[in-house]
Amino acid sequence: MAYSLRDANLENDRVLQQWYAMNQASSVDALQTSVNTIQGIPWVNTLAVDDQGQALYMNLSVVPFVDAAKLAACSDPRAGLEMILLDGSRSACGWTVDPAAAQKGIYPASQLPQLRRSDYVQHSNDSAWMANPEAPLTGFSPLISQDNQPLGPRARFALQRLNQPGKISLSDLQGMVMDNRVYLAGQVMPDLLTVCEGDDRPELKALCSSLKAWDQQADLDSGIGLVHFQNIMAHVLEVPDVWRVPFDPADPQHTPRGLNLQQPAVLAAVREALLASATAVKASGLSPDVTWGEIQRVGKGGLQIPIHGGPAELGVYNAMQSVPGEGGTREVVSGTSYLQTVTFDRSGPQAQGLLAFSLSSDPSARHSRDQTLAFSKKQWRPLPFSDAQIEADPAYQTVRISEKTH
């Protein structure tokens, strides 16, 4: 067999033009028009709001024009959707060419998901389907978006927060990230504690106490119950028929939920996971009173900075990926990067933000860890917008570059 690889973005030379047009847009209309026309966004989703109360969601990235019918006729379903394999021996299996698209072989903007609302839109690294449950986005190629599939726990967490009565405030939005709530804990913790109550093995006593005492957050002062919860769920979520209430496409925001403890195999798996976590944590040498901030850290310029946040697969909106270090510690390698919240008042946009990984990768630079320390302390910073605000910065300077002729 022979395989060839085709990347739609190899022919996308419109990226800089796209960013420039987006930066010049003075309204949601202009922003949407630029993206629909240029189609230069390589892979990301785009969300925008304006001071008129409009919210816009677009999944208008560069996507090969391969619809569901062509996938069914030309690909092997055993390969799944992680890597699409098309039959290269048949010209009918080539990417569809639509003259309305900005590039041969990609979807035109008119056939990609986009939504305008006056309440909210959201995207949490999931499909476009539930950008807003009041207006589900359906019927797209699986390469673009999948509907009627279980949502990730981060998306469910976001929808839970955004669907609260009343208006969403600035503190509400910042709290979605900074309170570090572990969404999945709310779905299964009562069941885990039920198993604990019915299991009197001495080696589980400390573990069960830590789960009961845990605040169900991934905050700096959260206890070792978080470590146990991660260990347990990594094992339990692999068990077939683990959910007491299975996924229901008609209720994607609230299903699946609960552990199916009435099934002997599920109950046995939970008990096994509890014991395995107790054994692993004991072997790591972590003390019972250790905090998450003492476990999860990032090295910056010789300083170990405690980092809040946790795994996306547990529904932590402040998603952090960390890898095991010495003595049960964890080193952050990726996750939350640039944070920004914007409100509007009569003076214009009022923005606050953080660059969690700081500006410079040079450990000797003055900006190699300052924002990381601020992120650790949850210290949002105002971001200047107007010329007057920018020029008021004590560190503001102007450097003029001219070309000399000889």
Side-chain angles (χ1 to χ4, degrees), residues 261-403:
L261 299 180
Q262 300 303 314
Q263 288 289 335
V266 174
L267 179 58
V270 172
R271 286 175 170 167
E272 180 183 332
L274 292 171
L275 185 58
S277 183
T279 302
V281 169
K282 183 178 180 180
S284 72
L286 291 173
S287 66
D289 59 350
V290 70
T291 63
W292 186 236
E294 295 170 316
I295 295 173
Q296 182 170 264
R297 311 172 80 82
V298 64
K300 282 281 188 177
L303 180 67
Q304 289 292 314
I305 302 175
I307 300 294
H308 47 84
E313 57 268 23
L314 298 184
V316 184
Y317 211 68
N318 185 17
M320 286 292 174
Q321 181 183 359
S322 55
V323 297
E326 296 181 358
T329 61
R330 301 190 66 86
E331 175 77 10
V332 173
V333 294
S334 66
T336 299
S337 52
Y338 179 66
L339 291 170
Q340 178 179 294
T341 57
V342 182
T343 58
F344 298 94
D345 63 17
R346 293 179 179 178
S347 301
Q350 305 297 321
Q352 297 181 38
L354 277 170
L355 188 62
F357 283 84
S358 290
L359 184 63
S360 175
S361 58
D362 179 0
S364 64
R366 61 180 290 199
H367 297 300
S368 68
R369 63 189 186 191
D370 53 353
Q371 295 256 322
T372 307
L373 287 166
F375 173 78
S376 177
K377 299 174 183 177
K378 305 182 182 181
Q379 295 173 337
W380 295 76
R381 297 187 178 186
L383 304 179
F385 175 75
S386 67
D387 289 340
Q389 290 171 331
I390 294 171
E391 293 169 4
D393 188 328
Y396 176 80
Q397 58 179 312
T398 301
V399 178
R400 298 192 182 278
I401 301 174
S402 61
E403 181 180 344

Side-chain angles (χ1 to χ4, degrees), residues 213-261:
W214 175 43
D215 60 7
Q216 300 186 25
Q217 294 174 272
D219 233 333
L220 295 184
D221 57 358
S222 295
I224 200 171
L226 171 57
V227 178
H228 286 302
F229 186 75
Q230 290 184 72
N231 294 342
I232 293 164
M233 296 313 297
H235 181 87
V236 169
L237 291 179
E238 298 297 323
V239 179
D241 302 319
V242 68
W243 298 109
R244 182 173 65 251
V245 180
F247 171 67
D248 180 359
D251 188 19
Q253 296 182 68
H254 307 107
T255 61
R257 65 179 185 271
L259 297 177
N260 193 10
L261 299 180

Side-chain angles (χ1 to χ4, degrees), residues 76-90:
D76 189 334
R78 294 174 297 179
L81 293 173
E82 292 301 315
M83 180 175 289
I84 304 299
L85 299 176
L86 300 177
D87 185 352
S89 67
R90 292 184 287 152

